[in-house]
Amino acid sequence: MDHFLYRDGALHAEGVAIAALAGDVGTPFYCYSTATLERHFTVFSDGLKPLDPLVCYAVKANSNLAVLATLARLGAGADVVSEGEYRRALAAGIPGQKIIFSGVGKTRAELAFALENDVRQINVESEPELDALNQVAVSMGQRAPVSFRVNPDVDAKTHEKISTGKAENKFGIAYDDAPRIYARAATMPGIEVVGIDMHIGSQLTDLAPFREAYTRMRALVERLEADGIPVPRLDIGGGLGVPYERTNEMPPLPTDYGKVVQEVFAGWEDREFECEPGRLIAANAGILVAEVIYVKRSGDRRFLILDAAMNDLIRPALYDAYHDIVPVIEPAPGTPTYEYDVVGPICESGDTFAKARALPELKAGDLVAFRSAGAYGAVMSSEYNTRPLAPEVIVRGDDFALARPRPTYDDMLGKDRIPDWIDPA
């Protein structure tokens, strides 16, 4: 459920008309719903309530400070994968003791920053990283809290570019190597082993891979503890899918996911649990709004040319991802539809959002909204073709605020530098 609904024939974000926002900030723009963010966080937390996990929102899904601050006030922690994301989490009011630092390529400078800022744990993903972290921690007179991300070699049955738990993926240490690496870490002066982490992918629509991965996690923890290595903290990752296409096929509910977790880890309720949802919280809490520039006919094809492009929302070009596209003005019941190829103005054939998409007849100046654009939308955008980044707006009830303004062309050009040895034209 989200809070982007038609009222009196016009799409609203909670109590704010989308057309009014377009008039204020221009198009394209992203719009986030506070009520949806809060609801999704609460529903997910409630689904795991018997285990009382620390819900560490995956900042990579949507790192806008207003979004992070909204979740921080609900008690969320953060899962970050760079120093920049760590700084964003801190700036939004999430303390270091609620921040998990993940990622395969953390630099020594980033590791030092995390230790300086009271990181909850660092999810180590390789032996070279373990050695580097040990050296950094010793040089700072600290012991780094470490949880190893273990790759369980489980097929998440999701898109290959967002699958992270198979042996062929770059993430984590091999399952069979884990006992040796844990034993080695326990002897290091700069390392304090605090837990284990597994994350097998994103946009999972089947609970079976979760059950398989968590069963392997439990077996590994039992083996480690039999070897005298306590593992009091379990980071079970994230990845639960969301409904992008409005069909009868729905991903599992958080309550059903919670039942799987509770069944696998029955009897371990006294341990610390952590989880890292991102898409589940943010995706359906955001939309991208665009204006039709032209409607082009070419043979028997209709092209809907928008002012939004792949630099604003790259997921369709990158993953062939589906986003529901709806007109901002609600069509009357029985309105006929036509098949449109929905495209942007960038000089790439890949700048295509949808092909042969059924939509009511649209004309230049009409507004459309891409649903489920709150995750991996604005965070993956760029200034390709020297196009300004789309602004981000957050709505709360009848109020709205600009959470990130659209940069001016002067802002964009001002970031470049022409060297002195190039004579001005």
Side-chain angles (χ1 to χ4, degrees), residues 15 32 38 43 88 120 144 155-156 170 232 239 252 289 306 316 332 369 399:
Y32 309 129
E38 293 174 341
V43 168
R88 282 183 173 271
R120 176 179 177 82
D155 185 357
K170 68 180 181 180
V289 180
L306 308 180
D399 296 327

Side-chain angles (χ1 to χ4, degrees), residues 90-424:
L90 292 174
I94 300 174
Q97 268 298 305
K98 285 188 172 184
I99 298 176
I100 295 171
F101 198 171
S102 303
V104 301
K106 311 176 197 74
T107 66
R108 289 171 182 260
E110 288 180 315
L111 294 171
F113 180 86
L115 293 176
E116 289 167 355
N117 287 275
D118 201 26
V119 67
R120 176 179 177 82
Q121 75 194 40
I122 296 172
N123 286 347
V124 171
E125 303 212 22
S126 67
E127 281 194 89
E129 181 189 342
L130 175 64
D131 292 333
L133 177 57
N134 180 60
Q135 292 167 12
V136 170
V138 169
S139 72
M140 297 174 64
Q142 295 192 36
R143 296 187 70 205
V146 163
S147 176
F148 287 98
R149 179 171 180 175
V150 178
N151 187 321
D153 195 19
V154 169
D155 185 357
K157 297 180 173 58
T158 187
H159 193 286
E160 63 177 353
K161 291 185 178 179
I162 52 176
S163 176
T164 64
K166 297 174 69 177
E168 66 200 52
N169 299 134
K170 68 180 181 180
F171 300 95
I173 63 174
Y175 187 88
D176 291 340
D177 291 340
R180 175 184 61 80
I181 295 173
Y182 267 92
R184 180 167 175 250
T187 69
M188 291 181 161
I191 301 298
E192 179 186 1
V193 175
V194 299
I196 187 172
D197 166 47
M198 278 189 187
H199 181 80
I200 60 174
S202 184
Q203 189 52 20
L204 274 72
T205 57
D206 182 0
L207 291 174
F210 285 119
R211 184 182 293 276
E212 182 180 357
Y214 296 156
T215 300
R216 300 206 77 195
M217 175 188 267
R218 177 162 184 152
L220 179 55
V221 171
E222 289 171 343
R223 177 178 173 182
L224 291 171
E225 295 191 333
D227 292 341
I229 301 172
V231 187
R233 187 180 293 172
L234 282 69
D235 181 347
I236 60 175
L240 192 61
V242 302
Y244 282 100
E245 188 168 358
R246 292 175 181 259
T247 66
N248 292 327
E249 185 177 358
M250 297 288 287
L253 295 173
T255 50
D256 295 328
Y257 167 75
K259 289 176 183 176
V260 169
V261 176
Q262 292 164 52
E263 289 169 4
V264 173
F265 295 109
W268 283 11
E269 290 79 7
D270 58 338
R271 296 179 187 249
E272 290 183 72
F273 281 85
E274 304 159 335
C275 48
E276 306 164 4
R279 184 193 309 266
L280 183 74
I281 292 172
N284 290 322
I287 61 173
L288 172 65
V289 180
E291 182 177 314
V292 178
I293 303 175
Y294 303 113
V295 179
K296 173 183 173 179
R297 297 291 295 268
S298 181
D300 61 352
R301 303 188 76 86
R302 295 172 182 248
F303 292 91
L304 200 65
I305 303 174
L306 308 180
D307 62 358
M310 63 186 288
N311 74 295
D312 301 304
L313 180 63
I314 199 172
R315 295 187 69 256
L318 189 62
Y319 304 128
D320 294 321
Y322 182 100
H323 284 268
D324 199 20
I325 304 171
V326 298
V328 167
I329 300 302
E330 185 177 23
T335 297
T337 60
Y338 303 88
E339 289 190 346
Y340 291 96
D341 289 356
V342 185
V343 302
I346 278 178
C347 294
E348 300 267 1
S349 293
D351 186 22
T352 299
F353 296 114
K355 290 187 176 181
R357 183 68 63 86
L359 291 165
E361 187 169 17
L362 293 164
K363 63 183 186 302
D366 287 344
L367 298 175
V368 296
F370 292 78
R371 290 189 178 272
S372 307
Y376 305 107
V379 286
M380 297 180 78
S381 60
S382 73
E383 294 179 348
Y384 185 44
N385 279 192
T386 311
R387 290 171 49 84
L389 295 174
E392 295 172 78
V393 175
I394 190 163
V395 168
R396 183 174 181 270
D398 295 331
D399 296 327
F400 72 91
L402 190 60
R404 185 184 72 179
R406 191 189 313 274
T408 66
Y409 288 110
D410 286 342
D411 293 334
M412 298 166 68
L413 299 179
K415 291 184 291 186
D416 291 2
R417 297 292 184 269
I418 300 175
D420 293 339
W421 65 77
I422 299 178
D423 294 329

